Amino acid sequence: MDSTAPGDATKADQYQYQNGTMEVVFAVSDGRVLTLREYPDVSTFNRATDAATYRGTHQAVADLPDLMAFEDIDL
């Protein structure tokens, strides 16, 4: 992974934080950036979200199939 950040967010750019959190750019559209984050453990997630306001369940994401649904896909 390149240690210098690119000028603009691009799909599949990957970042690693000092606390072990990984973040990957999923999509860039109309100046907005959608990312996925993976925290190394629950306590790191809890510390990171302490300052955030919980807004409930995002139904479109809740309706997505679980990871297990993709296990047997041949690429």
Side-chain angles (χ1 to χ4, degrees):
M1 179 169 64
D2 190 353
S3 63
T4 60
D8 292 319
T10 304
K11 182 178 180 178
D13 284 350
Q14 180 173 288
Y15 300 87
Q16 183 171 3
Y17 296 87
Q18 288 182 345
N19 67 3
T21 299
M22 297 293 295
E23 185 167 17
V24 178
V25 176
F26 185 75
V28 179
S29 179
D30 297 327
R32 297 180 66 142
V33 181
L34 175 63
T35 68
L36 303 171
R37 276 192 174 191
E38 179 182 16
Y39 294 91
D41 51 56
V42 173
S43 62
T44 302
F45 169 80
N46 288 339
R47 283 191 304 275
T49 57
D50 274 345
T53 301
Y54 179 70
R55 297 291 187 194
T57 300
H58 189 290
Q59 198 56 49
V61 174
D63 291 342
L64 292 172
D66 290 334
L67 185 58
M68 301 284 285
F70 301 98
E71 282 188 343
D72 294 330
I73 294 177
D74 291 328
L75 298 176

